[in-house]
Amino acid sequence: MEISSFGETCLRMRGREGVVVSDAYPRIVGPTGRGLTADILTISHPDGQPTLGLDVPAATRRVDKPATGRGSSSKNGALVPTSLESAFLLDSPGEYDVHGILVTGVRTFRDERQGAERGFNTCFVYELDGIHVIHLGDVGHLLTEEELGDIGTVEVVCITVGGSLAAAKAAELVAQLDAKLVVPMPVDGDGAGKAELERFLHEMSVAHSETVPKLAVTHSSLPAESTVVLLEPRGRN
């Protein structure tokens, strides 16, 4: 399984079963998506201002509809770039089976007041090549025992840095999940993203860090101890 970054929380995860793209907001990849394609597109939260009062109950379901129409939008109001219109769109909690790829969406919030300040968020767990990856979106709180139970065991954690969680809390959340690989997703909404990333790396006891163009993961390559990997965003020109 291979993970690449397209900027901020937009990742592409490629496995034998297919390709998953997360949070491909037009603000990040452009309205056309610059050719970025996938079998599944997940949207963790509306881009920009929160959409308060929006909740979709968790359910077990099999997806049978792709995103359609130029500039189509998801249930939570996020626009879909045109290159991803044919992808199966997931933007709410539930258990999904799409093209043999198992995806679990877990309802969380973008603040510590159950969404009262910044709205809802969905953390997505993907199973690709037998590896479990969680994309935490813009989660704004530590996870409850129930949420941890819904998530299950994961080998790779993709966590936003510079979003709703302060660096120390983000590191604490990583510890809750006890994954072998940690992929920070730096955002720079207020211009302090680099400093927040440095604080996060300090919290994770990372003395020296280098970016890599992509992360290839197999069970045999998983490190014995939790390891942070910085991805270099691609396709930004």
Side-chain angles (χ1 to χ4, degrees):
M1 192 264 297
E2 179 185 287
I3 304 176
S4 302
S5 171
F6 284 77
E8 298 194 21
T9 58
C10 181
L11 301 179
R12 181 181 66 193
M13 288 147 279
R14 188 192 302 274
R16 290 187 297 269
E17 303 90 343
V19 178
V20 179
V21 167
S22 64
D23 288 358
Y25 301 116
R27 174 180 56 80
I28 298 173
V29 299
T32 65
R34 291 197 293 270
L36 180 62
T37 60
D39 299 294
I40 301 171
L41 170 63
T42 62
I43 300 292
S44 62
H45 63 282
D47 198 19
Q49 295 300 314
T51 303
L52 299 179
L54 174 65
D55 194 9
V56 181
T60 300
R61 68 198 80 175
R62 177 179 288 273
V63 174
D64 59 5
K65 288 185 178 180
T68 58
R70 179 172 294 273
S72 59
S73 62
S74 68
K75 292 176 184 176
N76 69 20
L79 291 176
V80 176
T82 54
S83 68
L84 288 160
E85 287 176 356
S86 62
F88 282 86
L89 179 62
L90 304 180
D91 63 355
S92 56
E95 296 176 3
Y96 307 90
D97 182 343
V98 185
H99 302 307
I101 301 173
L102 301 180
V103 182
T104 300
V106 178
R107 169 64 77 219
T108 54
F109 308 96
R110 298 179 69 191
D111 54 61
E112 295 183 332
R113 298 183 58 202
Q114 296 189 317
E117 296 175 354
R118 303 193 67 222
F120 296 95
N121 179 72
T122 304
C123 299
F124 284 100
V125 181
Y126 321 101
E127 183 178 348
L128 289 163
D129 296 354
I131 302 291
H132 296 85
V133 181
I134 184 166
H135 184 288
L136 289 165
D138 192 31
V139 65
H141 57 89
L142 298 180
L143 298 171
T144 66
E145 289 299 322
E146 181 179 0
E147 290 161 351
L148 288 169
D150 290 339
I151 289 168
T153 301
V154 294
E155 287 80 40
V156 184
V157 171
C158 304
I159 184 163
T160 302
V161 176
S164 296
L165 278 181
K169 284 284 188 180
E172 191 174 347
L173 177 51
V174 167
Q176 283 189 297
L177 293 163
D178 193 28
K180 297 299 184 183
L181 289 169
V182 180
V183 178
M185 301 182 291
V187 299
D188 197 17
D190 59 1
K194 183 177 181 180
E196 193 67 11
L197 177 60
E198 290 176 354
R199 283 191 286 268
F200 175 75
L201 294 176
H202 176 75
E203 293 287 342
M204 296 294 297
S205 300
V206 176
H208 303 285
S209 59
E210 294 183 3
T211 59
V212 297
K214 60 185 177 182
L215 172 62
V217 188
T218 64
H219 278 288
S220 62
S221 70
L222 288 171
E225 298 182 354
S226 182
T227 301
V228 176
V229 178
L230 293 177
L231 291 177
E232 180 182 349
R234 56 184 296 178
R236 300 305 298 269
N237 295 329

